[in-house]
Amino acid sequence: MIYDSISQCIGRTPLVRLSRCFPSRRLEVLSKLEMLNPCGSMKDRPARYIVEQGLAEGSLCPGMRLVESTSGNLGVALAAVARLHGLAFTAVVDPNTTTTNLRLLHLYGATVEMVTERDHAGGFLHTRVARAQELAEEPDTVWVNQYANERNPQAYHDTLATELLEEIDGPIDFLVAAVSTTGSLHGITRGLRAVHPSLRTVAVDATGSVIFGGSPGPRRIPGFGASRVPELLQTRDVDHVIHIDEADSLAGCRRLVDTEAILAGGSSGAVIAAIDEVERELVEDIVDRPARVVTVLPDRGERYLDLLDDDLGERTRGLRLEREGSALAGRL
């Protein structure tokens, strides 16, 4: 197959069984490797869908500008797809955006606006959204608004859920997925439940996120959790919510590398930690076979090396001190 652009290469990501990470006979974990999309994340899917649907219906045309508040991944994907179709793009980011994502945005030709004023929740999301709304008042400018745009979940419904149904024979018991806008969670859930009505959806949220009514708190992993409730949220699609803190998320990232040689981002690590809880708390009623868990690994770990290096640095310093202590004891 020869494609005419990278836009046509989005989707059809590999589905991998995580049997080394989860060797238990009580469950089978199947994961979509969304970091293998052309721009490195699952956000390639809504970026392509939103832009191409807008062009098809005439609400977008070459020469116009897209604006979006983004922690990085959707911004990178929008910058690439916009460039392919002759659109300009402005990304409104904040200091938590990784250095790698900022460099990618610039390389893809995006205009980058950095907000630095914290909002009433102590984060930057509300400030980013307000700035995106201001920029969208300019002529020939369209705000993508991923937290309320129905084309966000529809993209996942029409592509990722469809792929899973084609790739998996037999039952699907659980969908375990990280949340931010909730677009992927809703789109995949609705697509899978059309064939598997007893599917149980487990939303994995960040400690400090308010999506499901939690108390606001600091969060360093971009694109995981939120300091506002997305307009897209429909709680009827969610059966269970598991909150995962940053330390467990980073431990999950290390575990994926150690067991499967998969270098994935922070929200993927959170999903790995959450599946442990699913096994402990939710699979007891499936006794005649392993429970089948489907999950999505949203993006590449290279974009989070600053966070992972901080964590690795702490571990390395601990090992060095332990080694030096043992050497001193030997001399004594």
Side-chain angles (χ1 to χ4, degrees), residues 46-284:
R48 174 187 177 183
Y49 191 86
I50 289 166
V51 169
E52 294 186 354
Q53 289 291 314
L55 290 167
E57 72 177 16
S59 59
L60 294 176
C61 60
M64 295 179 68
R65 177 174 294 276
L66 298 173
V67 172
E68 182 59 328
S69 158
T70 173
S71 59
N73 284 332
L74 181 63
V76 171
L78 281 171
V81 176
R83 181 162 225 167
L84 285 174
H85 291 287
L87 299 163
F89 174 60
T90 297
V92 183
V93 302
D94 64 53
N96 289 329
T97 305
T98 67
T99 302
T100 300
N101 276 336
L102 289 173
R103 294 179 68 182
L104 287 170
L105 287 166
H106 285 294
L107 283 169
Y108 278 118
T111 299
V112 178
E113 286 219 8
M114 174 81 71
V115 301
T116 56
E117 181 182 348
R118 292 188 179 273
D119 55 34
H120 62 274
F124 299 98
L125 179 56
H126 293 272
T127 310
R128 286 197 337 237
V129 168
R131 181 57 181 152
Q133 287 177 300
E134 289 176 3
L135 292 171
E137 294 175 1
E138 296 294 323
D140 294 325
T141 303
V142 175
W143 177 29
V144 173
N145 194 8
Q146 60 179 314
Y147 286 85
N149 192 326
E150 288 293 340
R151 285 179 172 160
N152 180 1
Q154 195 65 39
Y156 295 105
H157 176 280
D158 292 358
T159 65
L160 207 157
T162 297
E163 292 167 27
L164 287 169
L165 292 172
E166 292 172 353
E167 293 161 350
I168 299 173
D169 292 327
I172 301 176
D173 301 301
F174 296 94
L175 170 67
V176 181
V179 294
S180 179
T181 68
T182 70
S184 59
L185 182 87
H186 289 308
I188 301 169
T189 293
R190 293 164 190 168
L192 294 183
R193 280 187 179 160
V195 178
H196 302 284
S198 61
L199 174 81
R200 283 180 276 181
T201 292
V202 180
V204 183
D205 199 8
T207 301
S209 167
V210 305
I211 295 175
F212 296 99
S215 299
R219 293 174 293 109
R220 284 203 304 162
I221 298 174
F224 178 40
S227 57
R228 65 192 289 263
V229 178
E231 291 88 344
L232 291 173
L233 178 63
Q234 297 289 331
T235 55
R236 65 176 178 270
D237 284 343
V238 181
D239 299 290
H240 308 278
V241 178
I242 297 175
H243 285 89
I244 301 295
D245 64 24
E246 182 181 296
D248 287 338
S249 297
L250 296 179
C253 292
R254 293 197 307 272
R255 178 171 158 191
L256 264 177
V257 173
D258 292 344
T259 59
E260 304 285 354
I262 296 173
L263 180 58
S267 57
S268 296
V271 163
I272 297 304
I275 292 173
D276 284 337
E277 190 164 331
V278 169
E279 181 181 8
R280 287 193 301 268
E281 305 293 337
L282 300 176
V283 304
E284 68 282 349

Side-chain angles (χ1 to χ4, degrees), residues 27-61:
L27 77 170
E28 176 189 32
V29 180
L30 306 178
S31 66
K32 268 287 205 179
L33 303 189
E34 288 294 288
M35 74 280 290
L36 297 182
N37 277 304
C39 296
S41 82
M42 67 192 303
K43 298 290 189 176
D44 286 20
R45 295 178 186 266
R48 174 187 177 183
Y49 191 86
I50 289 166
V51 169
E52 294 186 354
Q53 289 291 314
L55 290 167
E57 72 177 16
S59 59
L60 294 176
C61 60

Side-chain angles (χ1 to χ4, degrees), residues 280-302:
R280 287 193 301 268
E281 305 293 337
L282 300 176
V283 304
E284 68 282 349
D285 55 337
I286 301 176
V287 296
D288 58 333
R289 58 176 175 79
R292 178 172 280 164
V293 177
V294 168
T295 192
V296 177
L297 304 183
D299 62 359
R300 296 174 181 166
E302 290 94 330

